[in-house]
Amino acid sequence: MRRAALALGLVALLAWPWASPRYFVFLASLSVVNAIVAIGLNLLSGYTNQLSFGHAGFLAVGAYTAALVTTRWPDTPIVVTLAVAALVTGLVGLGLGVPCLRLEGLYLAMATLAFGFVVVEAIMNLDWLTRGNDGLRVPAARLGPWALQSDTARYYLVVAVGVVMVWAALNLARTRTGRALLAIRESEIAAQASGVHLARYKTLAFAISAVYTGVAGGLFAFVVGFLSPDAFDVFLSVDYVAMIIVGGLGSVPGSIAGAALLTVLNDSLAGFQSYRPLIFGTLLILSLLFMPGGVARAFRFLKGEQG
Amino acid sequence: MTTAVLVHVVVSGLATGSIYALVAISLVIIYNATRTLNFAQGEMLMISTFVGFTAYQRLRLPLVVVLLVAVVAAAALGWAIERLIIRHAISATHFDVLILTLGVSLVLRAGAGLVWTHDEFPFPALFANRPVALGPVRVAPVSLGIIGASLALMLALYVFFAKTRLGRAMRAVAQNQRAARLMGISVERVYSASWMLAAVVGAVAGILIAPVIFLSSKMGLVAINGFIAAVLGGFGSMPGAVVGGMLLGVLENLAPLYLPSGIKYSVPFLLLIAILLVRPGGVVGRTVRRKV
Amino acid sequence: MRYHQAWVVALGALLAAAPAAAEPGVTDTEILIGGSNSFSGPLAFTGEQITKGGVELYLRVVNDAGGIHGRKVRTLWYDDAYRPQDAVANTKKLVEQDKVFAIIIPQGSPPVVATLDYLEEQKVPLLFPYQSSPVTRGKRWIFQGMTVSDRSSKMMIDYLAGRRKFKKFAALYQDDEYGKSFLTAFEKDLGRHGLKLGAAESVKRGVTDVSAQVAKLQATKPDVTFLVLVPGPAAQALKERQKIGWSDTLMVSTGPLTDERYLALAGEAAEGVEGLSLWPDPATSDRPGVKLYREHMQKYAPRNEPNRYSMAGYFAGMLFAEAAKRAGTNLTRESLIAALEGIKGWESGILPPLTIGPDHETQKQGFWVRVEKGRFKPVTDWLKGE
């Protein structure tokens, strides 16, 4: 049953560009990119209770890294580019995660918020590298002899990477690290008592979360094609938090649902102009009042399990 | 820089710092009662100021009455948000409530744009702008006025929390909700009162700062600095919120005075990270013991 | 082989028989244009005014008079909240889903620049973007709207350093693309006069206090201080100057800033301020086009008040209608571009006669103004920007 559903889902993903208009291919790519960020953020917030308002900053680091690598060395295969983006962002995440260990709850949220601001400031001021406020055009990604220039090509790239990232996140729970994170989610003190090295795993969660967001950032650069500091403001970080909460904390399918839902909603409301934030906000309020715990919990409830 | 310039810039920073402090206090009031961050604080402040402004424009009321109108509007708004939205999510996680208040802030801001447009408006000032000489230095009455009015409000709040029944009940709830309930305090009433009081403090801050940063649907963004101030001071502590606000206001002004342009805007944030790392509980915070 | 040839012949015949492909966004009764703009976010007021208050105002006049060659013009706007990625999404949707004929008056450098390559590649006309960076120059499908920063700068510096003989300059600029592009242009133009920009201080959008920046500029004792800001912070800077009693500098506003809102915000602190004005005064000018603009606003949107943003949008609508009319009944993207390129000495009644050259710029001039009793008083005639 589950296998069949999975297979069906994969086929639908692969067939999407042939079945839908070109614009929706682009929109789907954007949704997948956001879903990867949401999964990464959820690994941090959902598992170790560390709330971050700075993931737009990680996204920016990944995006600019990928864009700069491709600009400097246009022949770099996309896999390498994304790996570099993941590595750089992961290191930044580690750099932020270690000192942030001492912080909890609000304090951590504020420290990450500050990190987001500092990243945007850094992009503006390192203009010899990032072209600052002028913005950076991102050349097409390359895979061997092919340049991924069409929306469809980019979509398949994003989906391929997305599937790997989702698979890794789902299987994380089966590894030692995953079990440690789950234990931390239930109770930090209990986890510590059962021998989980709290500091190590919380830092690791930060780094993994950053790696996810860095990969998403690399994809974001190619999908959007243009980067500027205005793209990564604090409101984007808040959007990601909204995605995982609407989707459901600690749930991988929930993260995907939340990201897809909010991305599509945000897009389809654009035509309402000044009413867009009004409708978006109202829907956000209603969904949380009537669907506490997000999509993931509502789904479990529908299936008759304990919510 | 001469001393006169330094004094002026610091005083100016203290004035914006007082506003940050007031916003921080209102955030702390809500946090202490309901353990939630209120993302809509800035927008609540903006709406109340707009209501006061409309009263001023339509009825030509004197400014003191305008302030009163704004305060009443704020209390009503705070009550409504708590009663109609937040209370229904009482069993929800803090994260859920956080996103609820985010939704409220989006709705309020867009709503304000529809009612009053997204234009910016000059707001009548309670205090004059032209400088007066105080000994060797010249200061603007508007800066002193903002600082004075804010300090007066803080003092009133202090008396309220120390002397009145409701104030003490709010402190009791902040310390331990269950114990407070057992003592016969109506926790629900405290929730309502906290949201109303926070909104009122915000409204006063709004009326004070609107002549300086102008009235517009985006003036609520000033609350971001209020958040930072509250954290700098150790979230939950009112004196901390005051110190955090003043510190942030002054630093924000001193950084551009002495530092090269490449780094100056990062300073408040870098400082925030640094302070959090050295003193995770904020400048005047206490350490919190973790419960199982 | 022969089989293939037969196919090619058949295909050719089919293609020849088929009617010419219809132009996107154009039917016998309608032309559809649109754009991504700020309807929320920091520049929501401007966005609302240039699109609904301006472009739509003029197009309602056109439509009520029977449209352009019998076609009514319909508009479609999407909100991007000033985010580049949302602007990209909206623009793709307009082009691919809604199949608009052209994009009109999108706002702000970051959102506009993010869509430039895509629109050039798709051969979709990008008409009169409301931003002042020169990056839009020299593109076949793009016609720049607002006067570009380097032209503004040239007019300002030639007037101040050349005619008025000022020597010491400083600038208070917004920390973004708008501020930086003016700063670069000022430095270059001052260099031509053997001068340089003495000091420059940046201000962030949404700032609460500008006292430190203003104090630093005052310490360098400039004759002229440029304000390269948006209305809120600029009015704050003027009030700050009043607060510290700094009177021996001439404050000068750039074209995008010189407008009535900033005067209203600054109040008496704006007296004596000068600036480059890109538009005649929308509320008081008696140029025929401006009078007509006010009449139309009175008729169609009586609740709105005249301002430069809606006038800029109104002008954009006017220029589009003029070009579409000239392009004739067989309106295509190609013919629209040709018509725009053919505009010479066109009298709008708002700006001086317009000739669009190979640079594709639709607005190149401004004139000098001084604030007297709360209004801009013209000091010069139209200045030369080339």
Side-chain angles (χ1 to χ4, degrees):
Chain A
M1 182 63 198
R2 191 152 171 218
R3 265 164 200 277
L6 259 176
L8 204 68
L10 270 181
V11 170
L13 268 179
L14 291 178
W16 183 250
W18 309 99
S20 70
R22 188 169 142 210
Y23 175 69
F24 290 100
V25 178
F26 167 78
L27 191 61
S29 307
L30 215 54
S31 303
V32 176
V33 170
N34 284 337
I36 299 176
V37 181
I39 294 172
L41 181 60
N42 220 334
L43 287 176
L44 186 69
S45 303
Y47 285 67
T48 60
N49 275 320
Q50 308 187 81
L51 195 56
S52 162
F53 285 127
H55 266 52
F58 288 130
L59 190 77
V61 173
Y64 271 92
T65 307
L68 291 172
V69 166
T70 317
T71 313
R72 206 57 64 82
W73 300 281
D75 292 330
T76 317
I78 177 68
V79 182
V80 177
T81 312
L82 289 179
V84 173
L87 183 72
V88 171
T89 318
L91 286 176
V92 172
L94 211 57
L96 187 67
V98 171
C100 280
L101 266 180
R102 297 179 60 192
L103 304 177
E104 292 202 297
L106 283 181
Y107 301 98
L108 180 74
M110 283 300 138
T112 50
L113 180 101
F115 164 75
F117 277 106
V118 172
V119 168
V120 170
E121 280 297 319
I123 295 171
M124 283 186 184
N125 286 302
L126 299 174
D127 40 15
W128 54 272
L129 182 70
T130 62
R131 301 188 36 83
N133 285 302
D134 290 346
L136 189 65
R137 284 179 202 180
V138 187
R142 287 196 82 88
L143 188 65
W146 304 288
L148 308 179
Q149 254 157 346
S150 71
D151 282 323
T152 306
R154 284 190 289 256
Y155 170 82
Y156 281 122
L157 166 72
V158 169
V159 164
V161 177
V163 166
V164 172
M165 301 306 270
V166 170
W167 176 82
L170 286 172
N171 282 283
L172 186 68
R174 291 195 204 132
T175 64
R176 195 183 158 78
T177 311
R179 282 196 302 272
L181 293 181
L182 282 173
I184 293 175
R185 175 170 70 171
E186 296 312 319
S187 162
E188 288 193 8
I189 293 178
Q192 209 163 13
S194 19
V196 172
H197 195 302
L198 204 58
R200 182 187 298 156
Y201 282 105
K202 283 182 109 169
T203 316
L204 196 62
F206 231 102
I208 296 176
S209 185
V211 164
Y212 265 81
T213 314
V215 170
L219 295 172
F220 178 93
F222 296 114
V223 170
V224 174
F226 179 80
L227 303 176
S228 86
D230 295 271
F232 305 100
D233 61 5
V234 58
F235 299 105
L236 186 66
S237 295
V238 177
D239 281 353
Y240 287 127
V241 175
M243 282 175 199
I244 63 167
I245 288 174
V246 168
L249 278 179
S251 156
V252 173
S255 310
I256 299 170
L261 213 63
L262 291 202
T263 309
V264 172
L265 189 65
N266 185 49
D267 180 78
S268 46
L269 291 180
F272 288 93
Q273 300 150 15
S274 327
Y275 292 89
R276 161 154 96 159
L278 190 76
I279 303 172
F280 190 79
T282 311
L283 291 176
L284 216 52
I285 294 173
L286 291 178
S287 79
L288 284 163
L289 283 183
F290 296 106
M291 206 173 59
V295 178
R297 200 174 134 200
F299 193 67
R300 278 200 297 274
F301 183 74
L302 283 179
K303 276 170 63 182
E305 289 169 28
Q306 287 290 329
Chain B
M1 291 294 135
T2 62
T3 327
V5 169
L6 189 63
V7 169
H8 167 74
V9 169
V10 169
V11 170
S12 205
L14 286 173
T16 39
S18 330
I19 300 300
Y20 297 159
L22 288 182
V23 177
I25 288 176
S26 56
L27 290 166
V28 167
I29 292 174
I30 288 181
Y31 179 74
N32 280 350
T34 51
R35 296 286 146 191
T36 48
L37 264 187
N38 179 18
F39 266 144
Q41 191 65 47
E43 278 64 36
M44 286 163 61
L45 169 162
M46 174 268 294
I47 296 270
S48 354
T49 314
F50 258 119
V51 173
F53 182 67
T54 307
Y56 172 80
Q57 263 194 327
R58 293 277 160 84
L59 308 169
R60 290 283 142 199
L61 297 173
L63 273 181
V64 184
V65 186
V66 166
L67 180 68
L68 214 64
V69 171
V71 160
V72 172
L77 184 66
W79 179 84
I81 293 175
E82 195 277 328
R83 197 72 194 75
L84 300 178
I85 298 171
I86 308 297
R87 179 126 3 140
H88 292 282
I90 220 146
S91 62
T93 64
H94 301 326
F95 287 174
D96 278 11
V97 182
L98 195 75
I99 298 304
L100 267 181
T101 61
L102 171 72
V104 172
S105 85
L106 289 175
V107 168
L108 291 181
R109 193 169 165 192
L114 293 172
V115 177
W116 291 286
T117 77
H118 289 291
D119 200 359
E120 286 169 293
F121 302 93
F123 195 87
L126 285 159
F127 311 101
N129 199 40
R130 289 191 187 280
V132 289
L134 274 185
V137 292
R138 286 146 64 89
V139 286
V142 56
S143 303
L144 293 182
I146 290 177
I147 299 172
S150 306
L151 288 178
L153 178 60
M154 289 168 197
L155 196 68
L157 285 171
Y158 175 76
V159 173
F160 170 79
F161 281 113
K163 303 281 177 201
T164 66
R165 239 182 113 83
L166 181 60
R168 283 199 291 243
M170 286 166 78
R171 273 166 59 210
V173 170
Q175 270 178 13
N176 188 330
Q177 265 185 32
R178 238 164 71 197
R181 205 186 282 278
L182 290 174
M183 302 290 286
I185 292 171
S186 161
V187 176
E188 282 72 27
R189 238 186 88 214
V190 167
Y191 287 169
S192 272
S194 301
W195 275 80
M196 288 165 76
L197 184 63
V200 165
V201 174
V204 176
I207 298 278
L208 287 175
I209 195 70
V212 180
I213 61 170
F214 309 115
L215 175 61
S216 76
S217 61
K218 55 181 174 254
M219 82 180 284
L221 291 181
V222 76
I224 293 185
N225 284 330
F227 273 111
I228 297 176
V231 170
L232 272 179
F235 223 106
S237 148
M238 306 248 181
V242 176
V243 175
M246 299 290 185
L247 194 65
L248 183 62
V250 171
L251 277 170
E252 246 188 2
N253 272 9
L254 287 182
L257 201 56
Y258 292 108
L259 294 173
S261 63
I263 183 105
K264 63 188 177 190
Y265 293 116
S266 302
V267 162
F269 301 110
L270 291 172
L271 183 93
L272 175 72
I273 297 179
I275 287 190
L276 286 178
L277 296 183
V278 181
R279 285 191 64 95
V283 191
V284 289
R286 58 220 153 166
T287 47
V288 188
R289 232 169 277 119
R290 245 185 261 158
K291 298 184 205 100
V292 182
Chain C
M1 189 64 197
R2 191 171 296 168
Y3 177 73
H4 280 281
Q5 275 168 350
W7 261 111
V8 170
V9 170
L11 205 69
L14 251 174
L15 279 177
E23 195 69 5
V26 181
T27 66
D28 289 342
T29 55
E30 190 182 86
I31 306 169
L32 178 64
I33 59 175
S36 176
N37 220 305
S38 290
F39 292 93
S40 64
L43 296 169
F45 180 74
T46 320
E48 181 98 28
Q49 287 294 325
I50 52 180
T51 56
K52 306 190 120 180
V55 173
E56 276 187 19
L57 177 63
Y58 188 79
L59 292 179
R60 282 178 73 175
V61 176
V62 169
N63 287 345
D64 280 3
I68 301 166
H69 298 300
R71 296 182 178 111
K72 301 268 162 88
V73 187
R74 188 160 64 89
T75 53
L76 193 56
W77 311 112
Y78 289 135
D79 177 31
D80 61 34
Y82 207 69
R83 266 193 204 167
Q85 63 268 45
D86 285 19
V88 169
N90 288 343
T91 306
K92 277 175 178 271
K93 184 149 71 173
L94 285 164
V95 171
E96 293 164 21
Q97 281 294 107
D98 305 311
K99 307 220 183 316
V100 294
F101 175 63
I103 302 285
I104 191 162
I105 208 161
Q107 179 187 199
S109 295
V112 169
V113 177
T115 63
L116 285 185
D117 290 348
Y118 171 75
L119 290 172
E120 275 285 292
E121 201 183 285
Q122 300 289 318
K123 302 188 168 50
V124 179
L126 169 57
L127 305 179
F128 328 130
Y130 198 73
Q131 61 91 40
S132 57
S133 153
V135 289
T136 53
R137 204 173 262 154
K139 307 225 184 236
R140 168 139 169 62
W141 298 91
I142 300 173
F143 288 81
Q144 168 63 22
M146 185 189 277
T147 308
V148 173
S149 53
D150 52 13
R151 286 198 197 278
S152 281
S153 157
K154 182 170 183 306
M155 284 184 269
M156 295 172 79
I157 303 292
D158 283 356
Y159 176 73
L160 288 168
R163 275 210 239 171
R164 302 266 293 265
K165 309 286 177 216
F166 285 112
K167 292 274 176 273
K168 288 185 74 176
F169 294 84
L172 188 62
Y173 66 99
Q174 182 157 292
D175 193 16
D176 66 3
E177 154 69 32
Y178 157 51
K180 296 261 173 72
S181 74
F182 263 96
L183 217 57
T184 317
F186 283 152
E187 271 158 0
K188 190 172 143 257
D189 287 316
L190 283 170
R192 279 194 296 111
H193 290 269
L195 301 166
K196 57 189 194 356
L197 197 61
E201 284 295 318
S202 69
V203 167
K204 288 216 102 57
R205 219 190 298 138
V207 65
T208 33
D209 194 298
V210 293
S211 57
Q213 289 90 336
V214 172
K216 272 178 102 169
L217 288 181
Q218 185 190 15
T220 67
K221 299 191 188 309
D223 302 331
V224 172
T225 306
F226 293 115
L227 298 178
V228 195
L229 300 167
V230 290
Q236 271 171 273
L238 293 181
K239 288 192 146 190
E240 178 61 31
R241 173 172 86 139
Q242 189 186 45
K243 237 192 232 176
I244 58 173
W246 179 20
S247 51
D248 56 353
T249 191
L250 178 67
M251 290 259 178
V252 169
S253 60
T254 54
L257 173 59
T258 309
D259 76 46
E260 287 69 25
R261 283 167 75 222
Y262 134 85
L263 278 196
L265 292 180
E268 48 152 11
E271 279 305 300
V273 168
E274 300 190 4
L276 179 73
S277 176
L278 301 179
W279 300 96
D281 191 322
T284 60
S285 165
D286 45 11
R287 292 180 63 86
V290 183
K291 276 161 104 176
L292 214 54
Y293 153 78
R294 286 198 297 267
E295 276 169 33
H296 289 151
M297 181 172 282
Q298 189 61 41
K299 182 171 170 203
Y300 291 102
R303 290 183 57 201
N304 202 357
E305 279 169 24
N307 58 58
R308 277 159 212 253
Y309 307 105
S310 68
M311 195 155 77
Y314 180 89
F315 181 77
M318 203 172 179
L319 189 52
F320 168 74
E322 176 68 22
K325 201 155 63 189
R326 289 182 185 209
T329 45
N330 184 22
L331 179 65
T332 63
R333 286 169 172 166
E334 290 277 357
S335 69
L336 182 83
I337 299 296
L340 276 166
E341 281 173 339
I343 284 180
K344 288 195 175 57
W346 174 64
E347 188 58 73
S348 62
I350 296 177
L351 295 179
L354 172 67
T355 298
I356 300 180
D359 53 22
H360 280 198
E361 288 169 58
T362 61
Q363 201 190 344
K364 298 182 216 180
Q365 287 183 280
F367 56 94
W368 207 255
V369 291
R370 181 184 299 119
V371 180
E372 282 167 21
K373 299 202 187 75
R375 288 224 79 86
F376 292 113
K377 290 271 150 36
V379 178
T380 68
D381 201 356
W382 294 97
L383 299 166
K384 283 269 165 282
E386 342 209 12

